[in-house]
Amino acid sequence: MKLGASTSCFYPLETEKSLKKVVDLGFEKTEVFFNAPSELDEGFAKELLEITKGSGTEIISVHPFSSFLETNCIFTEYKRRFNDFISIYERTCHAAAMLGAGIVVIHGALDKPKIHIPDDRYFERFNLLIEIGRREGVLVCQENVNKFKSQSIDFCKKMREALGESYKMVFDIKQTVRAGQDTFNFLNEFKNEIVHLHLSDNSEIGDCLPPGKGSFDFASLKSILDASDYKGDAVIEIYSKSYDVEKELKESKAYLENLWQI
């Protein structure tokens, strides 16, 4: 397992400038969080690749800007709206493929939308997203997200049953804490489906602390992943308004590399 950082750590700095900071910090892996439709253009992907060229930093995943649209535009009962918006995900998957990223991270639908979304429609539409990714050679994965359907272990188990081997998960520590879930129960249940990790620490003072600044048991996390023969990587994802991000990322990188001996 290699360690990275998400460009979202520097939001609202522009995506390309955020990527340059991650590269300059010496991370081997990164996740690119797109923040505008224009960032899905091929020209922008080439600009990002130029930033990473020769740096030793690999883009391993992307996060679409359009997560806030998914409840009403992807999982909607109004099929024409779905047909109009699905192109965003076609472009996202194509951009991921251009960047060499193997993973696209999806939030999905809110847990309590104004208009009910049946599980069977959710699974059908998500499977269509998976097929779009497959055509580009990338995995479209469900992230566990607080206040979304995927915050629930039971929902994710039903989704896994419906999608079979196509079901893959991006596991985010802070999201389990925010949702009131037991992080290690969630981890153990889906350890064989998890392909990507979002790392943060937590304690009684907060749920999105830099790794090493809270009380989360990262050693046990690594042990569980090693025992399940985890093949993915991990990126630190914290939010810039609370921290001196570059300083905190440097310290978290050193902390995790020492603890995990990577």
Side-chain angles (χ1 to χ4, degrees):
M1 179 166 59
K2 301 293 185 181
L3 187 63
S6 172
T7 62
S8 65
C9 294
F10 295 98
Y11 183 85
L13 188 67
E14 292 90 340
T15 301
E16 67 276 15
K17 294 177 183 177
S18 300
L19 178 60
K20 181 65 165 58
K21 285 184 176 290
V22 173
V23 168
D24 289 345
L25 285 166
F27 283 98
E28 294 184 65
K29 308 290 180 177
T30 188
E31 175 171 289
V32 168
F33 198 120
F34 292 120
N35 289 300
S38 61
E39 294 181 4
L40 302 179
D41 294 346
E42 289 191 0
F44 189 76
K46 291 176 182 177
E47 181 180 346
L48 297 184
L49 286 173
E50 194 62 31
I51 292 169
T52 62
K53 185 177 180 180
S55 69
T57 301
E58 178 187 4
I59 300 170
I60 57 172
S61 57
V62 303
H63 199 305
F65 72 91
S66 48
S67 296
F68 70 97
L69 296 170
E70 288 164 4
T71 299
N72 295 315
C73 297
I74 297 301
F75 299 100
T76 175
E77 63 184 346
Y78 196 70
K79 190 67 179 297
R80 183 179 294 161
R81 190 186 308 146
F82 168 82
N83 291 338
D84 286 350
F85 277 88
I86 195 64
S87 62
I88 292 173
Y89 294 84
E90 293 169 342
R91 294 177 65 203
T92 298
C93 290
H94 182 64
M98 283 193 66
L99 294 172
I103 292 168
V104 175
V105 183
I106 302 295
H107 281 191
L110 288 168
D111 182 44
K112 296 179 180 179
K114 290 183 179 179
I115 300 175
H116 175 65
I117 298 172
D119 287 350
D120 57 351
R121 186 200 307 152
Y122 187 98
F123 302 150
E124 177 190 357
R125 296 286 173 80
F126 204 98
N127 198 50
L128 290 173
L129 295 176
I130 290 172
E131 287 300 321
I132 289 170
R134 189 172 286 136
R135 292 197 294 270
E136 294 283 357
V138 302
L139 294 175
V140 174
C141 306
Q142 175 69 71
E143 183 176 20
N144 63 296
V145 184
N146 180 41
K147 297 184 179 179
F148 284 68
K149 287 180 176 291
S150 59
Q151 71 177 351
S152 163
I153 289 178
D154 289 340
F155 177 82
C156 289
K157 286 168 71 173
K158 287 195 291 184
M159 188 174 178
R160 178 175 61 188
E161 182 178 356
L163 298 183
E165 292 184 359
S166 295
Y167 178 74
K168 304 297 179 185
M169 177 178 280
V170 174
F171 186 70
D172 190 312
I173 294 169
K174 65 181 170 295
Q175 298 293 348
T176 61
V177 177
R178 290 174 177 178
Q181 296 279 358
D182 183 294
T183 300
F184 287 100
N185 284 348
F186 217 123
L187 178 67
N188 276 299
E189 178 62 43
F190 297 102
K191 60 188 177 185
N192 294 319
E193 287 78 37
I194 295 169
V195 295
H196 186 45
L197 294 170
H198 286 171
L199 303 178
S200 57
D201 212 332
N202 57 80
S203 72
E204 67 280 357
I205 66 170
D207 57 21
C208 188
L209 304 177
K213 300 299 174 70
S215 57
F216 184 74
D217 189 351
F218 285 101
S220 292
L221 172 72
K222 181 70 158 48
S223 294
I224 291 169
L225 294 172
D226 285 347
S228 64
D229 196 27
Y230 178 68
K231 301 295 187 185
D233 297 302
V235 297
I236 299 167
E237 187 179 68
I238 56 177
Y239 301 130
S240 62
K241 292 185 178 180
S242 302
Y243 311 113
D244 178 343
V245 182
E246 291 175 74
K247 174 180 176 292
E248 296 293 355
L249 286 177
K250 284 179 184 178
E251 292 178 359
S252 292
K253 182 175 184 288
Y255 168 77
L256 289 170
E257 287 177 343
N258 179 64
L259 179 66
W260 287 349
Q261 296 297 295
I262 55 175

